Amino acid sequence: TPTYASIDSPTGVITVASGAKTKYPIGSKIKFDQSQALTSYWSFDTNSNDGVGANNGTDTSMTYTSGKFSNAATFNGTTSKIVIADASSLKPTGEFTIGCWFKKTGTGTQKYLWQSYSANTNVAGISLNVETTNFLRFVSGKNTGTTLGTDYTIINGVTNVADNVYHYVVVSFRNNY
């Protein structure tokens, strides 16, 4: 049973329950620090600083208000953004997981949740966005060319997420899937 020191803390405790099959004795508590496995972590409580790495962001035309857990970054829909310097650590070449909470109010507009991506010459990096169709789209490119299925992968969502409700999206990428 995992518990956390606070809702947005990357540190927690696992308690071994009665009847559990584990190498640890029943009733033991195992402290873990999830941040050791994270490249970056942004809570967006009051700014866009990276809580575990060096990928701090610069805010433009945005505010911080009450969110799903603690505070949240609020974007105005036109000029708001967070810019993070280009870093190779944000363009994974192996296995990775990316996740975020978001709420989309308007329909029919494309909005990026995360982008460390370029398609200038080859498709490179990752992109997670809500398409104009109001469905999620995830793209991961290897910077080796422009052939779908060989050089890059696209995953399209099947649920309309432009419903003014908080959603949590997570994508795990492993072995080109």
Side-chain angles (χ1 to χ4, degrees), residues 69-102:
F69 298 109
S70 192
N71 286 335
T74 302
F75 300 86
N76 65 18
T78 55
T79 59
S80 294
K81 62 184 173 182
I82 297 171
V83 176
I84 301 165
D86 190 20
S88 61
S89 65
L90 300 177
K91 294 179 184 172
T93 57
E95 299 174 356
F96 66 90
T97 300
I98 184 172
C100 67
W101 282 99
F102 72 96

Short mmCIF file of all heavy atoms in Angstrom, two decimals, residues 69-102:
data_model
loop_
_atom_site.label_atom_id
_atom_site.label_comp_id
_atom_site.label_asym_id
_atom_site.label_seq_id
_atom_site.Cartn_x
_atom_site.Cartn_y
_atom_site.Cartn_z
N PHE A 69 -4.56 18.93 -7.76
CA PHE A 69 -3.80 18.71 -6.53
C PHE A 69 -2.97 19.96 -6.30
O PHE A 69 -2.16 20.32 -7.14
CB PHE A 69 -2.86 17.51 -6.65
CG PHE A 69 -3.58 16.22 -6.89
CD1 PHE A 69 -3.50 15.59 -8.11
CD2 PHE A 69 -4.33 15.63 -5.88
CE1 PHE A 69 -4.16 14.40 -8.34
CE2 PHE A 69 -4.99 14.44 -6.11
CZ PHE A 69 -4.91 13.82 -7.34
N SER A 70 -3.16 20.64 -5.21
CA SER A 70 -2.42 21.86 -4.90
C SER A 70 -2.72 22.90 -5.98
O SER A 70 -3.87 23.06 -6.35
CB SER A 70 -0.93 21.55 -4.78
OG SER A 70 -0.24 22.63 -4.22
N ASN A 71 -1.71 23.60 -6.49
CA ASN A 71 -1.93 24.62 -7.51
C ASN A 71 -1.68 24.05 -8.90
O ASN A 71 -1.21 22.93 -9.06
CB ASN A 71 -1.01 25.82 -7.27
CG ASN A 71 -1.47 26.65 -6.10
OD1 ASN A 71 -2.64 26.65 -5.75
ND2 ASN A 71 -0.54 27.34 -5.47
N ALA A 72 -1.97 24.87 -9.90
CA ALA A 72 -1.79 24.46 -11.30
C ALA A 72 -1.41 25.66 -12.14
O ALA A 72 -1.77 26.79 -11.81
CB ALA A 72 -3.09 23.85 -11.84
N ALA A 73 -0.70 25.41 -13.22
CA ALA A 73 -0.39 26.46 -14.19
C ALA A 73 -1.65 26.71 -15.01
O ALA A 73 -2.31 25.78 -15.46
CB ALA A 73 0.75 26.03 -15.10
N THR A 74 -1.99 28.00 -15.18
CA THR A 74 -3.17 28.36 -15.95
C THR A 74 -2.72 29.13 -17.19
O THR A 74 -2.02 30.13 -17.08
CB THR A 74 -4.13 29.24 -15.11
OG1 THR A 74 -4.49 28.50 -13.94
CG2 THR A 74 -5.38 29.60 -15.89
N PHE A 75 -3.14 28.64 -18.35
CA PHE A 75 -2.76 29.24 -19.63
C PHE A 75 -3.95 29.98 -20.21
O PHE A 75 -5.09 29.53 -20.09
CB PHE A 75 -2.30 28.14 -20.59
CG PHE A 75 -1.11 27.37 -20.09
CD1 PHE A 75 -1.28 26.27 -19.25
CD2 PHE A 75 0.17 27.73 -20.44
CE1 PHE A 75 -0.20 25.56 -18.77
CE2 PHE A 75 1.26 27.04 -19.97
CZ PHE A 75 1.07 25.94 -19.13
N ASN A 76 -3.69 31.11 -20.89
CA ASN A 76 -4.78 31.92 -21.42
C ASN A 76 -5.31 31.44 -22.77
O ASN A 76 -6.25 32.01 -23.31
CB ASN A 76 -4.39 33.40 -21.48
CG ASN A 76 -3.26 33.68 -22.46
OD1 ASN A 76 -2.97 32.88 -23.35
ND2 ASN A 76 -2.62 34.82 -22.30
N GLY A 77 -4.71 30.43 -23.36
CA GLY A 77 -5.21 29.88 -24.61
C GLY A 77 -4.62 30.49 -25.86
O GLY A 77 -4.85 30.00 -26.97
N THR A 78 -3.85 31.58 -25.72
CA THR A 78 -3.26 32.21 -26.91
C THR A 78 -1.75 32.45 -26.74
O THR A 78 -0.98 31.94 -27.52
CB THR A 78 -3.96 33.54 -27.24
OG1 THR A 78 -3.93 34.38 -26.09
CG2 THR A 78 -5.40 33.31 -27.69
N THR A 79 -1.36 33.21 -25.72
CA THR A 79 0.05 33.59 -25.60
C THR A 79 0.78 32.89 -24.46
O THR A 79 1.99 33.01 -24.34
CB THR A 79 0.18 35.11 -25.39
OG1 THR A 79 -0.53 35.48 -24.21
CG2 THR A 79 -0.37 35.87 -26.59
N SER A 80 0.06 32.18 -23.59
CA SER A 80 0.69 31.53 -22.44
C SER A 80 1.51 30.33 -22.87
O SER A 80 1.11 29.56 -23.74
CB SER A 80 -0.36 31.05 -21.45
OG SER A 80 -1.04 32.12 -20.88
N LYS A 81 2.67 30.19 -22.21
CA LYS A 81 3.51 29.03 -22.47
C LYS A 81 4.60 28.96 -21.42
O LYS A 81 4.87 29.92 -20.71
CB LYS A 81 4.14 29.09 -23.85
CG LYS A 81 5.06 30.28 -24.06
CD LYS A 81 5.57 30.34 -25.48
CE LYS A 81 6.35 31.62 -25.72
NZ LYS A 81 6.82 31.71 -27.10
N ILE A 82 5.22 27.78 -21.33
CA ILE A 82 6.41 27.58 -20.51
C ILE A 82 7.49 27.11 -21.47
O ILE A 82 7.29 26.14 -22.21
CB ILE A 82 6.18 26.53 -19.42
CG1 ILE A 82 5.10 27.01 -18.44
CG2 ILE A 82 7.48 26.23 -18.69
CD1 ILE A 82 4.66 25.97 -17.46
N VAL A 83 8.61 27.79 -21.48
CA VAL A 83 9.71 27.43 -22.37
C VAL A 83 10.83 26.85 -21.52
O VAL A 83 11.27 27.45 -20.55
CB VAL A 83 10.22 28.66 -23.17
CG1 VAL A 83 11.42 28.28 -24.01
CG2 VAL A 83 9.11 29.22 -24.03
N ILE A 84 11.27 25.67 -21.91
CA ILE A 84 12.38 24.98 -21.25
C ILE A 84 13.49 24.84 -22.27
O ILE A 84 13.24 24.46 -23.42
CB ILE A 84 11.93 23.60 -20.74
CG1 ILE A 84 10.78 23.78 -19.75
CG2 ILE A 84 13.08 22.85 -20.10
CD1 ILE A 84 10.02 22.51 -19.46
N ALA A 85 14.71 25.17 -21.88
CA ALA A 85 15.84 25.10 -22.80
C ALA A 85 15.99 23.70 -23.40
O ALA A 85 15.72 22.70 -22.74
CB ALA A 85 17.13 25.50 -22.08
N ASP A 86 16.39 23.66 -24.66
CA ASP A 86 16.61 22.40 -25.35
C ASP A 86 17.64 21.58 -24.59
O ASP A 86 18.71 22.07 -24.24
CB ASP A 86 17.10 22.69 -26.77
CG ASP A 86 17.13 21.45 -27.65
OD1 ASP A 86 16.44 20.47 -27.32
OD2 ASP A 86 17.84 21.47 -28.66
N ALA A 87 17.29 20.32 -24.29
CA ALA A 87 18.19 19.45 -23.54
C ALA A 87 18.05 18.02 -24.06
O ALA A 87 16.94 17.55 -24.29
CB ALA A 87 17.85 19.49 -22.05
N SER A 88 19.17 17.35 -24.24
CA SER A 88 19.12 15.98 -24.74
C SER A 88 18.37 15.06 -23.77
O SER A 88 17.76 14.08 -24.20
CB SER A 88 20.53 15.46 -24.99
OG SER A 88 21.27 15.45 -23.79
N SER A 89 18.38 15.36 -22.47
CA SER A 89 17.67 14.53 -21.50
C SER A 89 16.16 14.55 -21.73
O SER A 89 15.45 13.66 -21.27
CB SER A 89 17.99 14.98 -20.08
OG SER A 89 17.50 16.28 -19.84
N LEU A 90 15.66 15.55 -22.43
CA LEU A 90 14.23 15.65 -22.72
C LEU A 90 13.87 15.10 -24.09
O LEU A 90 12.75 15.28 -24.57
CB LEU A 90 13.77 17.10 -22.57
CG LEU A 90 13.98 17.70 -21.18
CD1 LEU A 90 13.57 19.15 -21.16
CD2 LEU A 90 13.25 16.90 -20.12
N LYS A 91 14.83 14.47 -24.74
CA LYS A 91 14.61 13.80 -26.03
C LYS A 91 15.11 12.37 -25.90
O LYS A 91 16.15 12.01 -26.44
CB LYS A 91 15.35 14.53 -27.15
CG LYS A 91 14.83 15.91 -27.42
CD LYS A 91 15.61 16.58 -28.51
CE LYS A 91 15.12 18.00 -28.69
NZ LYS A 91 15.96 18.75 -29.61
N PRO A 92 14.37 11.54 -25.17
CA PRO A 92 14.86 10.19 -24.87
C PRO A 92 15.01 9.35 -26.13
O PRO A 92 14.24 9.46 -27.08
CB PRO A 92 13.78 9.62 -23.96
CG PRO A 92 12.59 10.47 -24.15
CD PRO A 92 13.06 11.80 -24.60
N THR A 93 16.02 8.50 -26.11
CA THR A 93 16.25 7.58 -27.22
C THR A 93 15.91 6.15 -26.83
O THR A 93 15.86 5.28 -27.68
CB THR A 93 17.72 7.65 -27.68
OG1 THR A 93 18.55 7.36 -26.55
CG2 THR A 93 18.06 9.01 -28.22
N GLY A 94 15.69 5.91 -25.55
CA GLY A 94 15.31 4.58 -25.07
C GLY A 94 13.92 4.63 -24.45
O GLY A 94 13.08 5.43 -24.83
N GLU A 95 13.71 3.78 -23.47
CA GLU A 95 12.42 3.70 -22.79
C GLU A 95 12.17 4.95 -21.95
O GLU A 95 13.10 5.51 -21.38
CB GLU A 95 12.39 2.47 -21.89
CG GLU A 95 12.55 1.18 -22.66
CD GLU A 95 12.66 -0.03 -21.76
OE1 GLU A 95 12.69 0.11 -20.51
OE2 GLU A 95 12.72 -1.14 -22.30
N PHE A 96 10.90 5.40 -21.89
CA PHE A 96 10.56 6.55 -21.06
C PHE A 96 9.06 6.55 -20.78
O PHE A 96 8.29 5.87 -21.45
CB PHE A 96 10.98 7.87 -21.71
CG PHE A 96 10.23 8.18 -22.98
CD1 PHE A 96 9.05 8.90 -22.94
CD2 PHE A 96 10.71 7.76 -24.20
CE1 PHE A 96 8.35 9.18 -24.11
CE2 PHE A 96 10.03 8.04 -25.37
CZ PHE A 96 8.84 8.76 -25.33
N THR A 97 8.68 7.34 -19.79
CA THR A 97 7.28 7.56 -19.47
C THR A 97 7.09 9.06 -19.26
O THR A 97 7.93 9.72 -18.67
CB THR A 97 6.87 6.80 -18.19
OG1 THR A 97 7.08 5.41 -18.41
CG2 THR A 97 5.42 7.06 -17.82
N ILE A 98 6.01 9.58 -19.78
CA ILE A 98 5.67 10.99 -19.58
C ILE A 98 4.21 11.05 -19.17
O ILE A 98 3.38 10.29 -19.68
CB ILE A 98 5.93 11.83 -20.87
CG1 ILE A 98 5.67 13.31 -20.62
CG2 ILE A 98 5.13 11.30 -22.04
CD1 ILE A 98 6.09 14.20 -21.77
N GLY A 99 3.91 11.92 -18.20
CA GLY A 99 2.53 12.04 -17.75
C GLY A 99 2.23 13.44 -17.27
O GLY A 99 3.14 14.17 -16.87
N CYS A 100 0.95 13.81 -17.31
CA CYS A 100 0.56 15.12 -16.80
C CYS A 100 -0.95 15.18 -16.58
O CYS A 100 -1.71 14.44 -17.20
CB CYS A 100 0.99 16.23 -17.76
SG CYS A 100 0.14 16.25 -19.35
N TRP A 101 -1.34 16.07 -15.69
CA TRP A 101 -2.74 16.45 -15.51
C TRP A 101 -3.01 17.62 -16.44
O TRP A 101 -2.17 18.50 -16.60
CB TRP A 101 -3.00 16.89 -14.07
CG TRP A 101 -3.12 15.80 -13.08
CD1 TRP A 101 -2.15 15.35 -12.23
CD2 TRP A 101 -4.28 15.01 -12.82
NE1 TRP A 101 -2.63 14.34 -11.46
CE2 TRP A 101 -3.95 14.11 -11.80
CE3 TRP A 101 -5.57 14.98 -13.35
CZ2 TRP A 101 -4.86 13.19 -11.29
CZ3 TRP A 101 -6.47 14.06 -12.84
CH2 TRP A 101 -6.11 13.19 -11.83
N PHE A 102 -4.21 17.66 -17.02
CA PHE A 102 -4.59 18.80 -17.85
C PHE A 102 -6.10 18.93 -17.88
O PHE A 102 -6.83 17.99 -17.59
CB PHE A 102 -4.03 18.68 -19.28
CG PHE A 102 -4.73 17.64 -20.10
CD1 PHE A 102 -5.76 17.98 -20.96
CD2 PHE A 102 -4.36 16.31 -20.01
CE1 PHE A 102 -6.41 17.02 -21.71
CE2 PHE A 102 -5.01 15.33 -20.75
CZ PHE A 102 -6.04 15.69 -21.60
#
